[in-house]
Structures are given as structure tokens and as C-alpha cells.
Coordinates of all heavy atoms in Angstrom, one line a residue:
V1 N -204.4 29.1 32.1 CA -205.7 28.8 32.4 C -206.3 29.8 33.5 O -207.4 30.3 33.4 CB -205.9 27.4 32.9 CG1 -207.3 27.1 33.3 CG2 -205.6 26.5 31.7
Q2 N -205.5 30.0 34.6 CA -205.9 30.9 35.7 C -206.1 32.4 35.0 O -207.2 33.0 35.4 CB -205.0 31.0 36.8 CG -205.0 29.7 37.6 CD -204.0 29.8 38.8 OE1 -203.0 30.6 38.8 NE2 -204.3 29.1 39.8
I3 N -205.2 32.8 34.3 CA -205.4 34.1 33.7 C -206.7 34.3 32.8 O -207.5 35.2 33.0 CB -204.1 34.6 32.9 CG1 -202.9 34.7 33.8 CG2 -204.5 35.8 32.1 CD1 -203.1 35.7 34.8
Q4 N -206.9 33.3 32.1 CA -208.2 33.2 31.2 C -209.3 33.2 32.1 O -210.2 33.8 31.8 CB -208.0 32.0 30.3 CG -207.1 32.1 29.1 CD -207.1 30.7 28.3 OE1 -207.3 29.8 28.9 NE2 -206.6 30.9 27.1
Q5 N -209.2 32.4 33.1 CA -210.5 32.4 34.0 C -210.7 33.7 34.7 O -211.9 34.3 34.8 CB -210.3 31.3 35.1 CG -210.4 29.9 34.5 CD -210.2 28.8 35.5 OE1 -209.6 29.1 36.6 NE2 -210.7 27.7 35.3
V6 N -209.7 34.5 35.1 CA -209.9 35.7 35.8 C -210.4 36.7 34.9 O -211.4 37.5 35.1 CB -208.6 36.2 36.4 CG1 -208.5 37.6 36.8 CG2 -208.1 35.3 37.6
I7 N -209.8 36.8 33.6 CA -210.4 37.8 32.6 C -211.8 37.4 32.2 O -212.7 38.3 32.1 CB -209.4 37.8 31.4 CG1 -208.1 38.4 31.9 CG2 -210.0 38.7 30.3 CD1 -207.0 38.3 30.8
L8 N -212.1 36.2 32.0 CA -213.4 35.8 31.7 C -214.4 36.1 32.9 O -215.5 36.6 32.5 CB -213.5 34.3 31.4 CG -214.8 33.8 30.9 CD1 -215.4 34.5 29.6 CD2 -214.7 32.3 30.7
N9 N -214.0 35.9 34.0 CA -214.9 36.3 35.1 C -215.1 37.8 35.2 O -216.3 38.2 35.5 CB -214.4 35.7 36.5 CG -214.5 34.3 36.7 OD1 -215.4 33.7 36.0 ND2 -213.7 33.7 37.5
L10 N -214.1 38.6 35.0 CA -214.3 40.1 35.0 C -215.1 40.5 34.0 O -216.1 41.4 34.2 CB -212.9 40.7 34.9 CG -212.0 40.6 36.1 CD1 -210.6 41.1 35.8 CD2 -212.6 41.4 37.3
L11 N -215.0 40.0 32.7 CA -215.9 40.3 31.6 C -217.3 39.9 31.9 O -218.3 40.7 31.7 CB -215.4 39.7 30.3 CG -214.1 40.2 29.7 CD1 -213.5 39.3 28.6 CD2 -214.3 41.7 29.2
R12 N -217.5 38.7 32.5 CA -218.9 38.2 32.7 C -219.5 39.1 33.8 O -220.7 39.5 33.7 CB -218.8 36.8 33.3 CG -220.1 36.2 33.5 CD -220.2 34.7 34.0 NE -219.4 33.9 33.1 CZ -218.4 33.1 33.4 NH1 -218.1 33.1 34.6 NH2 -217.8 32.3 32.5
N13 N -218.8 39.5 34.8 CA -219.3 40.5 35.9 C -219.7 41.7 35.2 O -220.7 42.3 35.6 CB -218.3 40.6 37.0 CG -218.0 39.3 37.8 OD1 -218.9 38.4 37.7 ND2 -217.0 39.4 38.6
A14 N -218.9 42.2 34.3 CA -219.2 43.5 33.7 C -220.4 43.4 32.8 O -221.4 44.3 32.9 CB -218.1 44.0 32.8
I15 N -220.6 42.4 32.2 CA -221.8 42.2 31.3 C -223.0 42.0 32.2 O -224.1 42.8 31.9 CB -221.6 40.9 30.4 CG1 -220.4 41.2 29.3 CG2 -223.0 40.5 29.8 CD1 -220.1 40.0 28.6
E16 N -223.0 41.3 33.2 CA -224.1 41.2 34.1 C -224.5 42.5 34.8 O -225.6 42.7 35.0 CB -223.9 40.1 35.2 CG -223.8 38.7 34.7 CD -223.4 37.7 35.7 OE1 -223.3 38.0 36.9 OE2 -223.3 36.4 35.4
A17 N -223.4 43.3 35.1 CA -223.6 44.5 35.8 C -224.4 45.6 34.8 O -225.2 46.4 35.3 CB -222.4 45.2 36.3
M18 N -224.2 45.3 33.6 CA -224.7 46.3 32.6 C -226.0 45.9 32.0 O -226.7 46.5 31.2 CB -223.8 46.6 31.4 CG -222.6 47.4 31.9 SD -221.5 47.9 30.6 CE -220.8 46.6 30.0
E19 N -226.5 44.6 32.4 CA -227.8 44.1 31.8 C -229.0 45.1 32.1 O -229.9 45.1 31.3 CB -228.0 42.7 32.4 CG -227.2 41.7 31.8 CD -227.5 40.3 32.4 OE1 -228.2 40.2 33.4 OE2 -227.1 39.2 31.7
K20 N -228.9 45.8 33.1 CA -230.1 46.7 33.7 C -230.0 48.1 32.8 O -231.0 48.8 32.9 CB -229.9 46.9 35.0 CG -230.3 45.6 35.8 CD -230.2 45.8 37.3 CE -230.5 44.4 38.0 NZ -229.6 44.2 39.1
I21 N -229.0 48.3 32.1 CA -228.8 49.5 31.3 C -229.7 49.4 30.2 O -229.4 48.6 29.3 CB -227.3 49.8 31.1 CG1 -226.5 50.1 32.2 CG2 -227.3 51.1 30.1 CD1 -225.1 50.3 32.0
T22 N -230.6 50.3 29.9 CA -231.5 50.2 28.8 C -230.9 50.9 27.5 O -231.3 50.5 26.4 CB -232.9 50.8 29.1 OG1 -232.7 52.2 29.4 CG2 -233.5 50.1 30.2
N23 N -230.0 51.8 27.7 CA -229.3 52.5 26.5 C -228.2 51.7 26.1 O -227.2 51.6 26.7 CB -228.8 53.9 27.1 CG -228.2 54.6 25.9 OD1 -228.0 54.1 24.8 ND2 -227.8 55.8 26.3
Q24 N -228.5 51.0 25.0 CA -227.4 50.1 24.3 C -226.2 50.9 24.0 O -225.1 50.1 24.2 CB -228.0 49.5 23.1 CG -229.1 48.5 23.2 CD -228.7 47.2 23.8 OE1 -227.5 46.8 23.8 NE2 -229.5 46.6 24.6
Q25 N -226.1 52.1 23.8 CA -224.9 52.9 23.5 C -224.0 53.0 24.7 O -222.8 53.2 24.7 CB -225.2 54.1 22.9 CG -225.7 54.0 21.5 CD -226.0 55.3 21.0 OE1 -226.4 56.4 21.5 NE2 -226.0 55.3 19.6
A26 N -224.7 52.9 26.0 CA -224.0 53.1 27.2 C -223.3 51.8 27.6 O -222.5 51.7 28.6 CB -224.9 53.6 28.2
R27 N -223.6 50.7 26.9 CA -223.1 49.3 27.3 C -221.7 49.2 26.6 O -221.6 48.7 25.6 CB -224.0 48.3 26.9 CG -225.3 48.3 27.6 CD -226.1 47.1 27.2 NE -227.2 46.8 27.9 CZ -228.1 45.8 28.0 NH1 -227.9 44.8 27.0 NH2 -229.1 45.7 28.8
E28 N -220.6 49.5 27.4 CA -219.4 49.4 26.8 C -218.4 48.9 27.8 O -218.5 49.2 28.9 CB -218.7 50.8 26.3 CG -219.5 51.4 25.1 CD -218.8 52.6 24.7 OE1 -217.8 53.2 25.3 OE2 -219.3 53.3 23.6
I29 N -217.5 48.0 27.4 CA -216.4 47.4 28.1 C -215.2 47.7 27.6 O -215.0 47.5 26.4 CB -216.7 45.8 28.3 CG1 -218.0 45.6 29.1 CG2 -215.5 45.3 29.2 CD1 -218.3 44.1 29.2
S30 N -214.1 48.2 28.3 CA -212.9 48.3 27.8 C -211.9 47.3 28.5 O -211.9 47.1 29.7 CB -212.3 49.8 28.0 OG -213.2 50.7 27.4
L31 N -211.1 46.7 27.6 CA -210.1 45.8 28.1 C -208.6 46.3 27.7 O -208.5 46.6 26.5 CB -210.2 44.3 27.4 CG -209.2 43.3 27.8 CD1 -209.2 43.0 29.3 CD2 -209.3 42.1 27.0
H32 N -207.9 46.6 28.8 CA -206.5 47.2 28.5 C -205.3 46.3 28.9 O -205.6 45.6 29.9 CB -206.4 48.6 29.2 CG -207.5 49.5 28.9 ND1 -207.4 50.4 27.7 CD2 -208.7 49.8 29.4 CE1 -208.4 51.2 27.7 NE2 -209.2 50.8 28.7
A33 N -204.3 46.3 28.3 CA -203.1 45.6 28.6 C -201.9 46.6 28.5 O -201.8 47.1 27.4 CB -203.0 44.3 28.0
R34 N -201.0 46.8 29.4 CA -199.9 47.8 29.3 C -198.8 47.3 30.0 O -198.9 46.6 31.0 CB -200.3 49.2 29.6 CG -200.5 49.4 31.1 CD -201.0 50.8 31.4 NE -201.2 50.9 32.9 CZ -200.5 51.9 33.5 NH1 -199.7 52.6 33.0 NH2 -200.8 51.9 34.8
L35 N -197.6 47.8 29.6 CA -196.3 47.4 30.2 C -196.1 48.3 31.4 O -196.3 49.5 31.3 CB -195.3 47.5 29.2 CG -193.8 47.0 29.7 CD1 -193.8 45.5 30.1 CD2 -192.9 47.3 28.6
L36 N -195.7 47.8 32.5 CA -195.4 48.4 33.7 C -193.9 48.4 33.9 O -193.2 47.5 33.3 CB -196.1 48.0 34.9 CG -197.6 48.1 34.9 CD1 -198.2 47.6 36.2 CD2 -198.1 49.6 34.8
P37 N -193.3 49.1 34.9 CA -191.9 48.9 35.1 C -191.5 47.5 35.6 O -192.4 46.8 36.1 CB -191.6 49.9 36.3 CG -192.6 51.0 36.2 CD -193.9 50.1 35.6
R38 N -190.3 47.1 35.4 CA -189.9 45.7 35.8 C -190.5 44.7 34.9 O -190.7 43.5 35.4 CB -189.9 45.5 37.2 CG -189.1 46.5 38.0 CD -188.9 46.2 39.5 NE -190.1 45.4 40.1 CZ -190.4 45.5 41.3 NH1 -189.8 46.2 42.1 NH2 -191.4 44.8 41.7
N39 N -190.9 45.0 33.7 CA -191.5 44.0 32.8 C -192.8 43.3 33.3 O -193.1 42.2 33.0 CB -190.5 43.0 32.3 CG -189.7 43.5 31.1 OD1 -189.9 44.5 30.5 ND2 -188.6 42.7 30.8
M40 N -193.5 44.1 34.2 CA -194.8 43.6 34.6 C -195.9 44.1 33.7 O -195.7 45.1 32.9 CB -195.1 44.0 36.0 CG -194.1 43.5 37.0 SD -194.2 44.2 38.7 CE -195.9 43.6 39.1
I41 N -197.0 43.3 33.5 CA -198.1 43.7 32.5 C -199.3 43.9 33.5 O -199.6 43.0 34.3 CB -198.2 42.6 31.5 CG1 -197.0 42.6 30.6 CG2 -199.5 42.9 30.7 CD1 -197.1 41.4 29.6
E42 N -200.0 44.9 33.1 CA -201.3 45.3 33.9 C -202.3 45.1 32.9 O -202.4 45.5 31.8 CB -201.3 46.7 34.3 CG -202.6 47.1 35.0 CD -202.5 48.6 35.3 OE1 -202.6 49.4 34.5 OE2 -202.5 48.9 36.5
I43 N -203.4 44.2 33.3 CA -204.5 44.0 32.6 C -205.7 44.6 33.3 O -205.9 44.4 34.5 CB -204.8 42.5 32.3 CG1 -203.6 42.0 31.5 CG2 -206.1 42.3 31.5 CD1 -203.7 40.5 31.3
S44 N -206.5 45.4 32.6 CA -207.7 46.1 33.3 C -208.9 45.8 32.5 O -208.9 45.8 31.3 CB -207.5 47.5 33.6 OG -207.3 48.2 32.5
V45 N -210.0 45.7 33.2 CA -211.3 45.5 32.5 C -212.2 46.7 33.2 O -212.4 46.7 34.4 CB -212.0 44.2 32.7 CG1 -213.5 44.1 32.2 CG2 -211.1 43.0 32.2
I46 N -212.7 47.5 32.3 CA -213.6 48.7 32.8 C -214.9 48.6 32.2 O -215.1 48.5 30.9 CB -212.7 50.0 32.4 CG1 -211.4 49.9 33.0 CG2 -213.6 51.2 32.9 CD1 -210.5 51.1 32.4

């Protein structure tokens, strides 16, 4: 539940930040998940 809330908040913030962009093609969000050393997982929202 905490992980879902964090990712949802990051996505919501990204969407709100891009609301002022008038060029629809420039409105892109990338969500990445990758394996790091010691079996840690990194999740990023760009």
C-alpha cells in the first residue's frame, strides 16, 4: 500500500506539473524499474 501510494503521488505530481504544457506531444511520463546490486530495485518516475 505504501509503495502504491508513493508511485501514485509521483505520477499525480508529474501530471499536475505538465498541465500547463500546451504541446500534447511534450506531455510524457516515464516509469522505470530496474535491478540494482544486492537485489535492490530502483523505481523512477520522470
Side-chain angles (χ1 to χ4, degrees):
V1 173
Q2 283 184 336
I3 294 299
Q4 288 174 337
Q5 287 176 340
V6 168
I7 293 172
L8 182 59
N9 285 340
L10 290 171
L11 289 170
R12 185 179 301 128
N13 290 345
I15 290 167
E16 288 176 4
M18 290 189 295
E19 284 180 347
K20 296 177 180 133
I21 297 174
T22 57
N23 180 355
Q24 289 292 330
Q25 291 178 331
R27 292 180 168 188
E28 293 186 357
I29 299 172
S30 296
L31 175 67
H32 302 275
R34 68 183 183 119
L35 184 62
L36 298 177
R38 300 187 333 205
N39 276 348
M40 295 175 64
I41 295 176
E42 176 184 71
I43 298 173
S44 59
V45 177
I46 302 166

